[in-house]
Amino acid sequence: MAMNYNAKDEVDGGPPCPPGGTAKTRRPDNTAFKQQRLPAWQPILTAGTVLPTFFIIGLIFIPIGIGIFVTSNNIREIEGNVFMYYGLSNFYQNHRRYVKSRDDGQLNGDPSALLNPSKECEPYRRNEDKPIAPCGAIANSMFNDTLELFQVGNASDLMPITLKKKGIAWWTDKNVKFRNPPGTDPLEERFKGTTKPVNWVKPVYMLDSDEDNNGFINEDFIVWMRTAALPTFRKLYRLIERKNDLHPTLPAGRYYLNITYNYPVHSFDGRKRMILSTISWMGGKNPFLGIAYITIGSISFLLGVVLLVINHKYRNSSNTADITI
Amino acid sequence: MFRRSFNRFCAGEEKRVGTRTVFVGNHPVSETEAYIAQKFCDNRIISSKYTLWNFLPKNLFEQFRRIANFYFLIIFLIQVTVDTPTSPITSGLPLFFVITVTAIKQGYEDWLRHRADNEVNKSTVYIIENAKRVKKESEKIKVGDIVEVQADETFPCDLILLSSCTVDGTCYVTTASLDGESNCKTHYAVRDTIELRTVESIDNLRAAIECEQPQSDLYKSLGPENLLLKGATLKNTKKIYGVAVYTGMETKMALNYQGKSQKRSAVEKSINAFLIVYLFILLTKAAICTTLKYVWQSTPYNDEPWYNQKTQKERETWKVLKMFTDFLSFMVLFNFIIPVSMYVTVEMQKFLGSFFISWDNDFYDEEINEGALVNTSDLNEELGQVDYVFTDKTGTLTENSMEFIECCIDGHKYKGVAQETDGLSQTDGPLPYLDRADKNREELFLRALCLCHTVEVKPNDTVDGVTESSELTYMSSSPDEIALVKGAKKYGFTFVGVQNGYMRVENQRKEIEEYELLHTLNFDSVRRRMSVIVKTQSGDILLFCKGADSAVFPRVQNHEIDLIKVHVEHNAMEGYRTLCIAFKEIAPDDYERVNRQLIEAKMALQDREEKMEKVFDEIETDMHLIGATAVEDKLQDQAAETIEALHAAGLKVWVLTGDKMETAKSTCYACRLFQTNTELLELTTKTIEESERKEDRLHELLTEYRKKLLREFPKSTRSLKKAWTEHQEYGLIIDGSTLSLILNSSQDSGSNNYRSIFLQICMKCTAVLCCRMAPLQKAQIVRMVKNLKGSPITLSIGDGANDVSMILESHVGIGIKGKEGRQASRNSDYAVPKFKHLKKLLLAHGHLYYVRIAHLVQYFFYKPLYDAAYLTMYNICFTSLPILAYSLLEQHINIDTLTSDPRLYMKISGNAMLQLGPFLYWTFLAAFEGTVFFFGTYFLFQTTSLDENGKVYGNWTFGTIIFTILVFTVTLKLALDTRFWTWINHLVIWGSLAFYVFFSFFWGGIIWPFLKQQRMYFIFAQMLSSVSIWLTIILLIFVSLSPEMLRIVLRSVRRRSTRNPNLELPMLLSYKHIDSGYR
């Protein structure tokens, strides 16, 4: 952009003081600020400065877009670490009543909140005169299907695939935001005086056998508690780690998915899905970003060309007009 | 005992509201008649609005009458009562802040008023009760009390003058604080009570006065010369007795007290209009959303899926009520469409912005050692919107310092004294003359100057200051007279003062001459001359008369006129105020007769004015013309340039003056209000009186002028501004009496018709001069113009008390800190030392403020449209500061350019930047960007994960992304619009972005123990770790800014194609919001 640095004439000396030399003159201070004469940079945005911007944007965006598009399309569901997601549709995790229905204090291990959950949790606050832990609609509706993946061997035997439960939640959530109630007692003791959410089969301290993945810091639970933005969403369920560099994580073949069906979705016309995906540097497969970049880049470039032409034409015509006048 | 009721106070008034009977001294008129105590209000003056008790409710009530405040109150209440998505604090806190600040400000102002009231109400007065002087507080005066007033005191209430210390029962009064006329007026005691000059005798008076019920018309009632008005001051009279007839809030002054009403600027009106539009949008939106919600909820699994059940309470709520609360909560959710913070910011902008005016060095005046004064900060932007400028002449256009320029004696011209090294000691022929008149005539002329006036001498220190004559200070109601006396002094004749009815004059030989002052025939505007009758030491009785040429010439011998007339006309053309001096010797016999007549007339009960006029008329005949004087009323520095600039800026300048037509006209020529080629249309008594029936003639003239003008400008007024430059210019001159004829002409003949014709004429004229205006008429004119179609913005500028009404009436009132006291500047919205400052005030400050505030407002209406509701607090913090800085510092055009090219002012006239077009543009821009943001992010979230480790993001991330884009876009857009980058702008714009990032980290980086919900925890940091989100943010910011950039390009292209070779290109470049190119 063409910018004219225009340090406005700095404060001139100002007219000399009145000869009377009155000690207290009420003349306003002659400072640059008060006289609105601060030095200023006055960029002038003209066609000449804006047009190149369009071109540059176009030139930058198109390659980026292509790059993204290619990367996104290259994501296959077999190589590298494979991520296993479950998806739900028509499930309004972003409903206002739903989103509020949790007690972060309780989830952070606050003993008082444990026994006296926030009012926001209604109607999942108390059950049979005992406080629910974890309280609220979100926790109550936690996804509880169990997915198991098997590779079908040559002899139709099923080889289970190791699904890693840990490392699916945000680090900060797992280590800071969610905490079990304090104490050294067994978890069951620490949750004493509370009751399980109405829809749950097991209480919260029996979610997993691993002490480090049990109670409020159970990662499945943490993932569920991060409410989705849209009614159709996916949540990370398990990790399938690559064993060695030679073999693909999930080689081509037949697989068998065993679902323990607990979670009802028909009542709200919902659907369940299971997604296996690898991840690139920019996340999962999503053509949107690439296409958007390419489109915007092209439009920008095109606009630049069109405007340049118009600009040029008018400049010429006005010049001639000036001459004729 | 008097048993007489005075009936005439109410005589002759058509609009009689009813009468009241006042018993003098509260004594019943007779024992037989039962004394009925009447209820009148007491003499307390209350100008304050509130008392301690009603302050809170009343002030709150006043404040909530503002649409915006009321609206926010409602929203706040809804938030408190109904279960809403947002916390009540978000709207309650700013509202509370605004209300408190305003209340404190108003409370303080009211406290000041209380103090002022108390000062008046508790002042001591003397009341005659039971033949004794009783000291009382002013507020205790009752109607019917007899009040004693001493010299230089103000009257505590409206009084009927019963008697004064003088034999003839006269007293002198100045009404400067009422109507701005500072000269003394004579009032006369009621004839029957003149003799009652002692406490005892006046207490014995038994009388009843029947008078009108209180009326506010100040001008109608100044006439009765027995009525002394509250607020006027007693002068030159030791003491008077009067009976109170109107007290307290019923006095003329109180009834005329025009509260300084809140002036609202056009911008504020626009804001209110926009608010209403937005309110409508809001209601519609809320209604649609509620409907949609219920449509969506109609499927049971959507309404209450198993995973998200309602509470017992929710289920039990009555459905209609539920629907209503839903509607309300949607309203609250979208309430950010109407920005709370805007009001705070606008107020701040105005308040801080007004400092720039008072800080401006260019407004500083060496003489009075003061700069500009800002009384209201609400009207800064209005300065950029003015259509009509009403200016006072004396003291505003002119310096109001008269200077004796030259005189002419018997046709011989004497130029002003060039050098005066040895001052008064010059004895012989001190006049630098071109050719000399007879020595005797010369001295006669100078004596006339010394005697024929009403100047008072105020000795500085020594009372017997005969020898220190140079130290004398002259005081007079008219600066002309002072100029004349001073002029005479230069030529060796010094007026020393009045002693015991003798006027003392020191002549060129340093001798004191004494003249007995027999009569003063006061100046009045009808005769336009004044005379004195004096008796010389030798016993000759002389009459000296001075007056306007037109008033004097017919009364002197014809042959004398020709010599002098040339000079007078010549002087008048040069813009000097000319006066002719004449004299006459009165034979002793004649004097006897004249004296008798004069006294008779003065004592006359009825029609005194007319009688005196008649006597005066008879006396002032057959005079001998001695000479003429020319006094210059100096134009203010750069007055002409300023007027020209205002003209060029498309403003219509009207001069409203109390001065006589000829002088006013010459001043107008001098300050280039009228050009030499301006065709003048005159509507004055002179032109009208030629005909017998005034109204017919008026009608004729009006229609004739209209025809003429319509021929000239066949197009509508819209093209007028352009037309000015090309067509013949017209100027209109009208005087007070004609104006009142037009405005008040008899009801049946369709005065509206006159008025509309008159207005049509006025609107077509480039300049209008109204002379011989009473103060109230000035205000009338302003009001008339204000109510014109399209309600143009008016600005009044004046310096005297007589301009106050006009200053208060107009949209913007500007006071000149002039010589006629501080009344005008106190009552004005802005006060500047000189007229020339108006130019910069309007063209530069007004323009900039308007552009700034318009942008500010647009920006605010644009900003919050897509606000993620829960982040309001962010919104206030992050994006208010840059716009505030912008709105304070922006100079899209250089100040110097603005002052030098007044045409630029036209561009913003008519509230151009806050019309529907720009408003729609900003709204759609906002809607567009909102869509882009939402759907951009929406599509982004279609994927499994945005992270390289496959983790998922929730709804809070979604919101934060949108919000981040929003903050950046809004701030960058402002950066695009900023034309004037000072370091403050840099600091604030980049600073606020940096602060946003920092704050987001901070806010999300800690588990806040006092918050129930830790929803923002680590979202921002986590968000920034995703490359995709980065890319999206950049992309969306660019997309939302591109329309703005596109517009810039198109604008510059279009401008080039339609370039007007007259206009400089670089200046107009920045007019992106002003040109009509909204697409």
mmCIF file of all heavy atoms in Angstrom, chain A residues 240-266:
data_model
loop_
_atom_site.group_PDB
_atom_site.id
_atom_site.type_symbol
_atom_site.label_atom_id
_atom_site.label_comp_id
_atom_site.label_asym_id
_atom_site.label_seq_id
_atom_site.Cartn_x
_atom_site.Cartn_y
_atom_site.Cartn_z
ATOM 1 N N ILE A 240 -6.168 -46.417 17.951
ATOM 2 C CA ILE A 240 -5.506 -47.652 17.522
ATOM 3 C C ILE A 240 -4.096 -47.249 17.131
ATOM 4 O O ILE A 240 -3.888 -46.544 16.146
ATOM 5 C CB ILE A 240 -6.237 -48.294 16.327
ATOM 6 C CG1 ILE A 240 -7.712 -48.500 16.689
ATOM 7 C CG2 ILE A 240 -5.563 -49.607 15.955
ATOM 8 C CD1 ILE A 240 -8.551 -48.872 15.507
ATOM 9 N N GLU A 241 -3.142 -47.618 17.957
ATOM 10 C CA GLU A 241 -1.779 -47.146 17.726
ATOM 11 C C GLU A 241 -1.065 -48.019 16.722
ATOM 12 O O GLU A 241 -1.290 -49.229 16.618
ATOM 13 C CB GLU A 241 -1.018 -47.110 19.046
ATOM 14 C CG GLU A 241 -1.285 -45.820 19.774
ATOM 15 C CD GLU A 241 -0.480 -45.702 21.043
ATOM 16 O OE1 GLU A 241 -0.176 -46.738 21.664
ATOM 17 O OE2 GLU A 241 -0.177 -44.555 21.432
ATOM 18 N N ARG A 242 -0.236 -47.376 15.983
ATOM 19 C CA ARG A 242 0.547 -48.089 14.974
ATOM 20 C C ARG A 242 1.609 -48.917 15.679
ATOM 21 O O ARG A 242 2.307 -48.425 16.559
ATOM 22 C CB ARG A 242 1.198 -47.025 14.104
ATOM 23 C CG ARG A 242 1.874 -47.551 12.912
ATOM 24 C CD ARG A 242 2.376 -46.354 12.142
ATOM 25 N NE ARG A 242 2.645 -46.743 10.774
ATOM 26 C CZ ARG A 242 2.984 -45.882 9.849
ATOM 27 N NH1 ARG A 242 3.056 -44.604 10.143
ATOM 28 N NH2 ARG A 242 3.230 -46.283 8.625
ATOM 29 N N LYS A 243 1.714 -50.152 15.301
ATOM 30 C CA LYS A 243 2.635 -51.019 16.036
ATOM 31 C C LYS A 243 4.053 -50.817 15.558
ATOM 32 O O LYS A 243 4.974 -50.577 16.293
ATOM 33 C CB LYS A 243 2.209 -52.471 15.870
ATOM 34 C CG LYS A 243 1.023 -52.769 16.769
ATOM 35 C CD LYS A 243 0.557 -54.209 16.563
ATOM 36 C CE LYS A 243 -0.871 -54.396 16.977
ATOM 37 N NZ LYS A 243 -1.756 -54.560 15.810
ATOM 38 N N ASN A 244 4.270 -50.923 14.268
ATOM 39 C CA ASN A 244 5.597 -50.659 13.732
ATOM 40 C C ASN A 244 5.456 -50.032 12.361
ATOM 41 O O ASN A 244 4.361 -49.943 11.807
ATOM 42 C CB ASN A 244 6.427 -51.940 13.664
ATOM 43 C CG ASN A 244 5.720 -52.981 12.840
ATOM 44 O OD1 ASN A 244 5.254 -52.697 11.737
ATOM 45 N ND2 ASN A 244 5.604 -54.200 13.352
ATOM 46 N N ASP A 245 6.564 -49.569 11.843
ATOM 47 C CA ASP A 245 6.496 -48.800 10.614
ATOM 48 C C ASP A 245 6.253 -49.653 9.382
ATOM 49 O O ASP A 245 5.918 -49.136 8.324
ATOM 50 C CB ASP A 245 7.798 -48.009 10.441
ATOM 51 C CG ASP A 245 7.875 -46.919 11.486
ATOM 52 O OD1 ASP A 245 6.810 -46.617 12.080
ATOM 53 O OD2 ASP A 245 8.963 -46.381 11.699
ATOM 54 N N LEU A 246 6.439 -50.951 9.528
ATOM 55 C CA LEU A 246 6.363 -51.781 8.330
ATOM 56 C C LEU A 246 4.935 -52.084 7.931
ATOM 57 O O LEU A 246 4.578 -52.025 6.766
ATOM 58 C CB LEU A 246 7.139 -53.095 8.547
ATOM 59 C CG LEU A 246 8.637 -52.872 8.802
ATOM 60 C CD1 LEU A 246 9.319 -54.173 9.166
ATOM 61 C CD2 LEU A 246 9.265 -52.256 7.557
ATOM 62 N N HIS A 247 4.141 -52.372 8.935
ATOM 63 C CA HIS A 247 2.779 -52.781 8.602
ATOM 64 C C HIS A 247 1.824 -51.611 8.752
ATOM 65 O O HIS A 247 2.000 -50.777 9.627
ATOM 66 C CB HIS A 247 2.330 -53.914 9.532
ATOM 67 C CG HIS A 247 3.192 -55.117 9.400
ATOM 68 N ND1 HIS A 247 3.145 -55.965 8.315
ATOM 69 C CD2 HIS A 247 4.156 -55.619 10.222
ATOM 70 C CE1 HIS A 247 4.022 -56.928 8.461
ATOM 71 N NE2 HIS A 247 4.668 -56.748 9.614
ATOM 72 N N PRO A 248 0.838 -51.573 7.929
ATOM 73 C CA PRO A 248 -0.206 -50.589 8.173
ATOM 74 C C PRO A 248 -0.914 -50.913 9.487
ATOM 75 O O PRO A 248 -0.954 -52.078 9.899
ATOM 76 C CB PRO A 248 -1.159 -50.724 6.984
ATOM 77 C CG PRO A 248 -0.729 -51.927 6.233
ATOM 78 C CD PRO A 248 0.605 -52.388 6.733
ATOM 79 N N THR A 249 -1.473 -49.899 10.115
ATOM 80 C CA THR A 249 -2.131 -50.106 11.399
ATOM 81 C C THR A 249 -3.291 -51.075 11.255
ATOM 82 O O THR A 249 -3.453 -51.994 12.037
ATOM 83 C CB THR A 249 -2.674 -48.775 11.938
ATOM 84 O OG1 THR A 249 -1.751 -47.754 11.609
ATOM 85 C CG2 THR A 249 -2.842 -48.837 13.430
ATOM 86 N N LEU A 250 -4.081 -50.816 10.255
ATOM 87 C CA LEU A 250 -5.183 -51.732 9.980
ATOM 88 C C LEU A 250 -5.006 -52.252 8.559
ATOM 89 O O LEU A 250 -5.349 -51.557 7.611
ATOM 90 C CB LEU A 250 -6.539 -51.026 10.111
ATOM 91 C CG LEU A 250 -6.946 -50.578 11.511
ATOM 92 C CD1 LEU A 250 -8.272 -49.838 11.456
ATOM 93 C CD2 LEU A 250 -7.061 -51.763 12.450
ATOM 94 N N PRO A 251 -4.394 -53.376 8.414
ATOM 95 C CA PRO A 251 -4.198 -53.882 7.048
ATOM 96 C C PRO A 251 -5.534 -54.233 6.401
ATOM 97 O O PRO A 251 -6.544 -54.431 7.083
ATOM 98 C CB PRO A 251 -3.342 -55.131 7.272
ATOM 99 C CG PRO A 251 -3.525 -55.497 8.691
ATOM 100 C CD PRO A 251 -3.920 -54.290 9.441
ATOM 101 N N ALA A 252 -5.500 -54.281 5.069
ATOM 102 C CA ALA A 252 -6.722 -54.608 4.346
ATOM 103 C C ALA A 252 -7.209 -55.982 4.757
ATOM 104 O O ALA A 252 -6.405 -56.888 5.001
ATOM 105 C CB ALA A 252 -6.464 -54.552 2.847
ATOM 106 N N GLY A 253 -8.505 -56.152 4.881
ATOM 107 C CA GLY A 253 -9.026 -57.439 5.293
ATOM 108 C C GLY A 253 -10.437 -57.262 5.822
ATOM 109 O O GLY A 253 -11.049 -56.204 5.679
ATOM 110 N N ARG A 254 -10.940 -58.298 6.407
ATOM 111 C CA ARG A 254 -12.283 -58.224 6.945
ATOM 112 C C ARG A 254 -12.219 -57.942 8.427
ATOM 113 O O ARG A 254 -11.366 -58.442 9.141
ATOM 114 C CB ARG A 254 -13.016 -59.534 6.671
ATOM 115 C CG ARG A 254 -13.380 -59.705 5.201
ATOM 116 C CD ARG A 254 -13.960 -61.077 4.940
ATOM 117 N NE ARG A 254 -15.164 -61.304 5.729
ATOM 118 C CZ ARG A 254 -15.444 -62.483 6.265
ATOM 119 N NH1 ARG A 254 -14.616 -63.496 6.134
ATOM 120 N NH2 ARG A 254 -16.547 -62.645 6.957
ATOM 121 N N TYR A 255 -13.130 -57.113 8.866
ATOM 122 C CA TYR A 255 -13.146 -56.760 10.281
ATOM 123 C C TYR A 255 -14.531 -57.019 10.827
ATOM 124 O O TYR A 255 -15.527 -57.027 10.111
ATOM 125 C CB TYR A 255 -12.770 -55.279 10.466
ATOM 126 C CG TYR A 255 -11.315 -55.024 10.171
ATOM 127 C CD1 TYR A 255 -10.871 -54.727 8.894
ATOM 128 C CD2 TYR A 255 -10.378 -55.099 11.215
ATOM 129 C CE1 TYR A 255 -9.539 -54.518 8.637
ATOM 130 C CE2 TYR A 255 -9.040 -54.890 10.957
ATOM 131 C CZ TYR A 255 -8.608 -54.589 9.670
ATOM 132 O OH TYR A 255 -7.297 -54.391 9.422
ATOM 133 N N TYR A 256 -14.545 -57.162 12.102
ATOM 134 C CA TYR A 256 -15.815 -57.449 12.756
ATOM 135 C C TYR A 256 -16.000 -56.453 13.900
ATOM 136 O O TYR A 256 -15.122 -56.275 14.749
ATOM 137 C CB TYR A 256 -15.769 -58.891 13.277
ATOM 138 C CG TYR A 256 -16.982 -59.304 14.079
ATOM 139 C CD1 TYR A 256 -18.173 -59.695 13.426
ATOM 140 C CD2 TYR A 256 -16.965 -59.294 15.479
ATOM 141 C CE1 TYR A 256 -19.275 -60.076 14.161
ATOM 142 C CE2 TYR A 256 -18.079 -59.681 16.214
ATOM 143 C CZ TYR A 256 -19.232 -60.068 15.546
ATOM 144 O OH TYR A 256 -20.341 -60.439 16.282
ATOM 145 N N LEU A 257 -17.131 -55.775 13.898
ATOM 146 C CA LEU A 257 -17.387 -54.776 14.937
ATOM 147 C C LEU A 257 -18.459 -55.295 15.860
ATOM 148 O O LEU A 257 -19.567 -55.611 15.422
ATOM 149 C CB LEU A 257 -17.826 -53.454 14.300
ATOM 150 C CG LEU A 257 -18.129 -52.317 15.261
ATOM 151 C CD1 LEU A 257 -16.873 -51.854 15.978
ATOM 152 C CD2 LEU A 257 -18.775 -51.167 14.522
ATOM 153 N N ASN A 258 -18.118 -55.372 17.121
ATOM 154 C CA ASN A 258 -19.080 -55.866 18.099
ATOM 155 C C ASN A 258 -19.606 -54.703 18.928
ATOM 156 O O ASN A 258 -18.857 -53.981 19.563
ATOM 157 C CB ASN A 258 -18.397 -56.895 18.997
ATOM 158 C CG ASN A 258 -19.404 -57.533 19.934
ATOM 159 O OD1 ASN A 258 -20.593 -57.583 19.610
ATOM 160 N ND2 ASN A 258 -18.932 -57.981 21.076
ATOM 161 N N ILE A 259 -20.893 -54.526 18.844
ATOM 162 C CA ILE A 259 -21.477 -53.396 19.562
ATOM 163 C C ILE A 259 -22.370 -53.904 20.674
ATOM 164 O O ILE A 259 -23.283 -54.691 20.436
ATOM 165 C CB ILE A 259 -22.304 -52.523 18.609
ATOM 166 C CG1 ILE A 259 -21.416 -51.977 17.498
ATOM 167 C CG2 ILE A 259 -22.967 -51.378 19.378
ATOM 168 C CD1 ILE A 259 -22.180 -51.316 16.396
ATOM 169 N N THR A 260 -22.070 -53.483 21.882
ATOM 170 C CA THR A 260 -22.990 -53.759 22.975
ATOM 171 C C THR A 260 -23.975 -52.600 22.993
ATOM 172 O O THR A 260 -23.647 -51.468 23.345
ATOM 173 C CB THR A 260 -22.234 -53.806 24.312
ATOM 174 O OG1 THR A 260 -21.016 -54.513 24.115
ATOM 175 C CG2 THR A 260 -23.072 -54.449 25.373
ATOM 176 N N TYR A 261 -25.175 -52.895 22.587
ATOM 177 C CA TYR A 261 -26.128 -51.801 22.340
ATOM 178 C C TYR A 261 -26.820 -51.422 23.628
ATOM 179 O O TYR A 261 -27.659 -52.140 24.149
ATOM 180 C CB TYR A 261 -27.139 -52.249 21.285
ATOM 181 C CG TYR A 261 -27.901 -51.114 20.671
ATOM 182 C CD1 TYR A 261 -27.584 -50.685 19.381
ATOM 183 C CD2 TYR A 261 -28.915 -50.469 21.353
ATOM 184 C CE1 TYR A 261 -28.277 -49.643 18.802
ATOM 185 C CE2 TYR A 261 -29.600 -49.412 20.782
ATOM 186 C CZ TYR A 261 -29.275 -49.003 19.498
ATOM 187 O OH TYR A 261 -29.956 -47.967 18.920
ATOM 188 N N ASN A 262 -26.468 -50.245 24.158
ATOM 189 C CA ASN A 262 -27.144 -49.755 25.358
ATOM 190 C C ASN A 262 -27.879 -48.448 25.090
ATOM 191 O O ASN A 262 -28.857 -48.141 25.737
ATOM 192 C CB ASN A 262 -26.116 -49.482 26.460
ATOM 193 C CG ASN A 262 -25.473 -50.747 26.938
ATOM 194 O OD1 ASN A 262 -26.131 -51.784 27.050
ATOM 195 N ND2 ASN A 262 -24.180 -50.681 27.186
ATOM 196 N N TYR A 263 -27.304 -47.719 24.135
ATOM 197 C CA TYR A 263 -27.703 -46.305 24.037
ATOM 198 C C TYR A 263 -28.876 -46.127 23.094
ATOM 199 O O TYR A 263 -28.764 -46.442 21.905
ATOM 200 C CB TYR A 263 -26.501 -45.514 23.508
ATOM 201 C CG TYR A 263 -26.512 -44.081 23.912
ATOM 202 C CD1 TYR A 263 -26.320 -43.710 25.240
ATOM 203 C CD2 TYR A 263 -26.710 -43.088 22.967
ATOM 204 C CE1 TYR A 263 -26.318 -42.384 25.602
ATOM 205 C CE2 TYR A 263 -26.708 -41.757 23.326
ATOM 206 C CZ TYR A 263 -26.510 -41.414 24.655
ATOM 207 O OH TYR A 263 -26.507 -40.094 25.021
ATOM 208 N N PRO A 264 -30.028 -45.667 23.591
ATOM 209 C CA PRO A 264 -31.204 -45.531 22.728
ATOM 210 C C PRO A 264 -31.163 -44.220 21.932
ATOM 211 O O PRO A 264 -30.946 -43.159 22.494
ATOM 212 C CB PRO A 264 -32.362 -45.502 23.723
ATOM 213 C CG PRO A 264 -31.777 -44.962 24.979
ATOM 214 C CD PRO A 264 -30.307 -45.226 24.958
ATOM 215 N N VAL A 265 -31.309 -44.331 20.610
ATOM 216 C CA VAL A 265 -31.341 -43.112 19.795
ATOM 217 C C VAL A 265 -32.610 -43.006 18.973
ATOM 218 O O VAL A 265 -32.911 -41.960 18.422
ATOM 219 C CB VAL A 265 -30.135 -43.029 18.842
ATOM 220 C CG1 VAL A 265 -28.870 -42.762 19.612
ATOM 221 C CG2 VAL A 265 -30.024 -44.272 18.009
ATOM 222 N N HIS A 266 -33.353 -44.091 18.898
ATOM 223 C CA HIS A 266 -34.541 -44.065 18.041
ATOM 224 C C HIS A 266 -35.585 -43.088 18.539
ATOM 225 O O HIS A 266 -36.290 -42.468 17.761
ATOM 226 C CB HIS A 266 -35.127 -45.472 17.916
ATOM 227 C CG HIS A 266 -34.471 -46.246 16.836
ATOM 228 N ND1 HIS A 266 -34.604 -45.925 15.510
ATOM 229 C CD2 HIS A 266 -33.649 -47.323 16.876
ATOM 230 C CE1 HIS A 266 -33.903 -46.758 14.785
ATOM 231 N NE2 HIS A 266 -33.297 -47.622 15.578
#
